[in-house]
Amino acid sequence: NAGVTQTPKFQVLKTGQSMTLQCAQDMNHNSMYWYRQDPGMGLRLIYYSASEGTTDKGEVPNGYNVSRLNKREFSLRLESAAPSQTSVYFCASSERGSSGNTIYFGEGSWLTVV
Amino acid sequence: GDSVTQMEGPVTLSEEAFLTINCTYTATGYPSLFWYVQYPGEGLQLLLKATKADDKGSNKGFEATYRKETTSFHLEKGSVQVSDSAVYFCALSDPGGGADGLTFGKGTHLIIQP
C-alpha cells in the first residue's frame, strides 16, 4: 500500500536551475497539497489542489508552480532555484479537503540549492 | 489569520514519565484540530484528531481534548517510552479561514531517555 509517493528523495541544485518534484497518490483522493518544512518554522503550505484541474496558492507560493496532471498526480516546479528554497518538501493528500479529514503525507524530498 | 502555538522544546523526559505538550490556537471559524508525529527521516503521520469542542482524540496511549473556551488542544501521555521520541506537530484546519490545508505549529522535539 504505497499511499503518497514523491520523487526524488534527495536533490542538489545550483542556483538558477529548474526542477520538478513529482507526487502521486493511490488512495483516490480529491485534494492534494505541497508543503515545505524548515527548521523552527514547522510546515508551510505552498500550493494545494482541491480537485483535478484546480490549483490554489497557499501561504508561501512565490518561486513555485504546480500542475495537477490528473487525479493521482500533483507536481511542484521550481523554475529558477534559489538558496532560500533549500528545504524539505512534503506532498500530501486527503479525500476531500482538510476540515475534519486526515491528510496523508509522503516521506519527503530533501532539496539543497547551492 | 489562523495560527498554532506550541512549546518548541526540545523536551527531554525519562522513560515512564508523564508527558504534556501544550498547544493553543487562533482561528476565524470552527476548526478541526490534529496532532501529527514525525519520526526521523520520515513524513508526518496522524496521531489523533478532534473535530468539535469537547471531543477527545486518542491513539497509542496519547490523548488530547478540544477545549474551545481556552482555545487549546494539549497532548498528554501517562507513561512515555523511548520509542515515542519524535517531533510532534499540532495543527488545525479551518474552513472559515479561506484556504484549504492545515496550519501547523512549529513542532516539539521530544526526547525520551531510558
Side-chain angles (χ1 to χ4, degrees):
Chain A
N1 189 4
V4 179
T5 304
Q6 51 183 114
T7 57
K9 194 170 180 67
F10 299 98
Q11 184 72 49
V12 178
L13 285 178
K14 294 182 178 179
T15 298
Q17 285 186 320
S18 63
M19 76 158 298
T20 301
L21 298 174
Q22 307 285 355
C23 175
Q25 51 90 8
D26 62 2
M27 296 174 282
N28 201 36
H29 285 169
N30 290 298
S31 299
M32 296 187 74
Y33 312 85
W34 276 105
Y35 287 88
R36 60 177 289 172
Q37 183 180 24
D38 302 293
M41 298 293 291
L43 279 80
R44 294 179 292 170
L45 182 65
I46 304 171
Y47 272 93
Y48 67 98
S49 169
S51 62
E52 183 180 352
T54 68
T55 61
D56 286 286
K57 296 178 180 179
E59 182 183 354
V60 288
N62 292 343
Y64 305 94
N65 288 300
V66 291
S67 296
R68 184 73 182 269
L69 303 171
N70 46 57
K71 191 171 185 179
R72 289 187 65 248
E73 298 175 288
F74 188 41
S75 62
L76 178 72
R77 183 162 178 83
L78 287 69
E79 290 291 352
S80 179
S84 61
Q85 294 178 302
T86 294
S87 188
V88 184
Y89 292 85
F90 288 97
C91 181
S93 71
S94 71
E95 182 175 356
R96 188 179 57 254
S98 60
S99 178
N101 296 315
T102 300
I103 292 185
Y104 297 85
F105 285 82
E107 294 188 344
S109 296
W110 275 255
L111 177 64
T112 301
V113 183
V114 298
Chain B
D2 297 342
S3 66
V4 176
T5 302
Q6 61 179 109
M7 50 198 299
E8 293 185 30
V11 173
T12 304
L13 295 173
S14 297
E15 203 166 21
E16 299 184 2
F18 185 87
L19 169 70
T20 300
I21 301 177
N22 290 335
C23 171
T24 58
Y25 68 88
T26 303
T28 54
Y30 298 93
S32 299
L33 301 174
F34 304 81
W35 277 101
Y36 276 82
V37 59
Q38 184 180 32
Y39 299 101
E42 298 184 9
L44 279 72
Q45 305 172 26
L46 178 69
L47 182 59
L48 53 84
K49 67 181 182 181
T51 57
K52 60 183 187 296
D54 300 325
D55 271 1
K56 177 186 284 188
S58 62
N59 186 26
K60 299 180 181 179
F62 291 89
E63 293 183 342
T65 301
Y66 188 146
R67 301 288 188 196
K68 187 177 179 182
E69 63 275 14
T70 55
T71 61
S72 64
F73 193 53
H74 304 321
L75 183 68
E76 297 182 335
K77 186 175 184 182
S79 176
V80 293
Q81 306 299 314
V82 172
S83 58
D84 294 326
S85 298
V87 181
Y88 292 80
F89 291 93
C90 186
L92 67 82
S93 68
D94 180 9
D100 191 14
L102 295 172
T103 299
F104 283 90
K106 294 183 179 181
T108 300
H109 186 194
L110 176 65
I111 301 169
I112 307 300
Q113 296 178 334

